[in-house]
């Protein structure tokens, strides 16, 4: 690859080559049966070169030298056609990286048979625990990626690793009641997926959902589960921490570093090296060293996150948050593993103290939230009614408001933490919010 970089330097003032090799194993479930199993592998090489402040990008689905040479020349032609970007400064310089974590090479060679075995076990357990429940959907997967990023300034970093996941969706039919789809999941950096725990948690929620309770307009404590938190915060909150939005003044956090924007119980940071992180990368998509970046500390807003381009435009340094889009080849500001710090008490403890309130497992409509101001309107479904310290049934209701007002209503976080492998990868506890206004359906 060094020879290819030398070749590319003949065409550009500065250039970057990023090579991604991947292997994906997946198995799907539909209506209590395995519906598909597959193994896919491949390579993608991305050329990003700059000539006279003009950007040239090219992507090729191979790492073969001849095809990479062709992509370099294609990127050069693209740069000639593009307009100058007067804000462009330079590609990143080499940095100091943390010690690489030891990969689990068992994931690299994982067979679909392993996932089939686990999903068949999950189907059998679900049917055993509740004859009225159907495993309507589900999937298991194992991913492995090797990436190398090098540029003409001396950056040259190689990383490899993988993760596995599994989820099931149950639907119960009992005495005329059909439950909504009930999900549960597990994800980790090994193959020891908690099949029993996934099924047990899902079955418990199905049993709650058999007892349908009408919702009403009221102001009550609400506990949000990991799926609900990840859905809402991924769209309504996390984009606001982007340095690009600060430069463009499209974030409500402009000028608020050091100000209180949330309850004292909330501390949120991006940390690829957290013990539950699925992707403990030492470098971002541009080869910049990653680090722990605190976003909110005990309710106080601490910092934005940056990639190389927008950091240099603003006059600061990259925080190692450049995320590569393998479809476009470009770099966007993103997160590695958003962590919401956990507390000391269990979910059971929090439920036990609520006279009337709700436990929300998921939100519908979170994708329509507005990160420019934090406004959102979502349907809580499935949601579970809590009365006198016990979950007594399921319900559906609406919540509309502002995510920053909601953050200030947080009163406690649980000691349990769950890693969410979907949307933004997020490690989160359950969070209790006080005096949440809901609209019954």
């Amino acid at each position: 690859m060094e020879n290819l970089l030398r070749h590319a330097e003949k065409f550009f003032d500065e250039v970057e080559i990023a090579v991604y090799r991947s292997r994906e194993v997946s198995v799907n479930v539909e209506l209590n049966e395995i519906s598909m199993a597959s193994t896919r592998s491949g390579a993608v090489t991305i050329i990003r070169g700059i000539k006279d402040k003009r950007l040239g990008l090219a992507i090729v689905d191979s790492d073969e030298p001849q095809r990479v040479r062709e992509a370099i020349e294609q990127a050069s032609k693209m740069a000639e056609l593009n307009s100058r970007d007067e804000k462009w400064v330079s590609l990143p310089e080499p940095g100091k990286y943390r010690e690489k974590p030891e990969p689990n090479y068992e994931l690299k060679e994982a067979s679909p048979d392993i996932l089939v075995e686990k999903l068949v076990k999950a189907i059998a357990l679900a049917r055993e625990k509740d004859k009225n429940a159907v495993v309507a959907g589900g999937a298991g997967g194992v991913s492995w990626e090797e990436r190398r990023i090098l540029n003409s300034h001396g950056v040259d970093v190689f990383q490899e690793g993988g993760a596995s996941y599994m989820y099931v969706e149950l639907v119960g039919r009992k005495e005329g009641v059909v439950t909504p789809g009930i999900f549960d999941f597990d994800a980790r950096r090994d193959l020891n997926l908690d099949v029993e725990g996934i099924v047990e948690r899902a079955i418990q929620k199905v049993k709650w959902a058999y007892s349908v309770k009408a919702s009403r307009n009221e102001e009550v404590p609400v506990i949000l589960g990991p799926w609900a938190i990840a859905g809402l915060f991924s769209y309504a909150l996390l984009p606001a921490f982007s340095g690009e939005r600060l430069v463009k003044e499209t974030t409500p956090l402009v000028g608020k570093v050091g100000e209180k924007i949330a309850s004292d119980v909330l501390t949120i940071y991006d940390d690829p090296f957290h013990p539950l992180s699925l992707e403990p990368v030492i470098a971002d998509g541009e080869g910049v060293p990653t680090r722990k970046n605190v976003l909110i500390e005990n309710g106080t807003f601490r910092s934005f996150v940056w990639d190389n381009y927008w950091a240099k435009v603003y006059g600061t340094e990259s925080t190692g948050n450049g995320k590569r889009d393998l479809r476009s080849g470009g770099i966007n500001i993103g997160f590695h593993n958003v962590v919401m710090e956990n507390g000391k008490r269990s979910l059971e403890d929090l439920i036990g103290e609520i006279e009337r309130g709700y436990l929300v497992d998921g939100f519908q409509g979170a994708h329509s939230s507005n990160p420019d101001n934090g406004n959102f309107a979502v349907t809580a479904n499935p949601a579970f009614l809590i009365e006198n310290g016990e979950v007594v049934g399921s319900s559906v209701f609406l919540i509309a408001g502002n995510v920053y007002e909601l953050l200030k209503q947080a009163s406690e976080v649980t000691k349990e933490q769950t890693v969410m492998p979907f949307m933004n990868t997020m490690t989160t506890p359950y969070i209790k919010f006080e005096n949440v206004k809901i609209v019954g359906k």
Side-chain angles (χ1 to χ4, degrees), residues 284-347:
D284 71 359
E286 302 178 280
V288 175
T290 54
R291 66 192 194 194
K292 177 179 177 180
N293 292 300
V294 179
L295 308 175
I296 297 175
E297 183 179 28
N298 299 325
T300 299
F301 172 41
R302 291 301 184 197
S303 65
F304 293 94
V305 292
W306 301 90
D307 64 0
N308 172 70
Y309 178 86
W310 288 105
K312 288 179 176 174
V313 168
Y314 192 69
T316 186
E317 66 177 10
S318 171
T319 56
N321 287 88
K323 300 284 284 186
R324 177 84 60 181
D325 184 336
L326 295 185
R327 292 167 298 181
S328 70
I331 294 288
N332 299 302
I333 296 175
F335 298 94
H336 303 289
N337 177 48
V338 176
V339 179
M340 305 199 183
E341 209 162 77
N342 57 340
K344 297 180 179 179
R345 300 202 300 159
S346 69
L347 173 62

Side-chain angles (χ1 to χ4, degrees), residues 244-264:
E244 178 183 356
R245 286 179 172 267
L246 174 61
V247 174
K248 296 179 177 179
E249 297 187 348
T250 58
T251 169
L253 298 177
V254 172
K256 293 188 176 181
V257 172
E259 292 187 14
K260 205 80 168 176
I261 64 169
S263 162
D264 290 348

Side-chain angles (χ1 to χ4, degrees), residues 18-182:
V19 183
Y20 294 81
R21 301 179 184 90
S22 63
R23 182 176 185 270
E24 302 282 342
V25 177
S26 62
V27 177
N28 289 356
V29 172
E30 291 182 14
L31 299 177
N32 291 336
E33 294 183 351
I34 304 297
S35 61
M36 186 273 289
S38 68
T39 302
R40 297 183 176 92
S41 60
V44 173
T45 302
I46 299 170
I47 310 300
R48 186 168 61 143
I50 295 86
K51 178 69 174 179
D52 192 26
K53 290 185 179 287
R54 291 179 168 87
L55 172 66
L57 267 174
I59 306 173
V60 59
D61 58 349
S62 172
D63 58 356
E64 296 176 4
Q66 182 56 39
R67 296 196 63 189
V68 174
R69 283 176 175 269
E70 293 169 0
I72 290 168
E73 293 167 16
Q74 184 62 42
S76 175
K77 293 175 183 177
M78 181 179 173
E80 291 175 2
L81 296 172
N82 284 340
S83 302
R84 283 171 58 90
D85 181 355
E86 299 299 343
K87 294 192 293 291
W88 178 264
V89 178
S90 69
L91 290 170
E93 301 289 335
K96 184 177 181 180
Y97 303 105
R98 293 180 58 160
E99 183 179 350
K100 293 180 183 179
E102 183 66 28
N104 185 333
Y105 289 104
E106 183 182 34
L107 295 163
K108 185 176 181 178
E109 305 297 334
S111 163
D113 294 344
I114 297 172
L115 297 172
V116 169
E117 179 183 337
K118 293 181 182 296
L119 285 164
V120 167
K121 180 179 180 180
I123 293 168
L125 282 172
R127 298 292 288 160
E128 176 187 317
K129 291 177 179 292
D130 186 346
K131 299 298 184 185
N132 299 301
V134 174
V135 183
V142 179
S143 62
W144 179 267
E145 184 179 75
E146 299 169 359
R147 64 175 76 168
R148 185 181 179 189
I149 300 162
L150 61 165
N151 72 25
S152 52
H153 296 308
V155 168
D156 188 351
V157 58
F158 174 80
Q159 303 170 90
E160 60 182 345
S164 69
Y165 73 88
M166 177 179 160
Y167 77 89
V168 295
E169 179 191 10
L170 304 186
V171 174
R173 297 174 181 268
K174 183 178 179 181
E175 298 175 358
V177 173
V178 179
T179 72
I182 302 293

Side-chain angles (χ1 to χ4, degrees), residues 274-291:
H274 187 275
L276 295 179
S277 173
L278 298 179
E279 195 177 5
V281 292
I282 62 169
D284 71 359
E286 302 178 280
V288 175
T290 54
R291 66 192 194 194

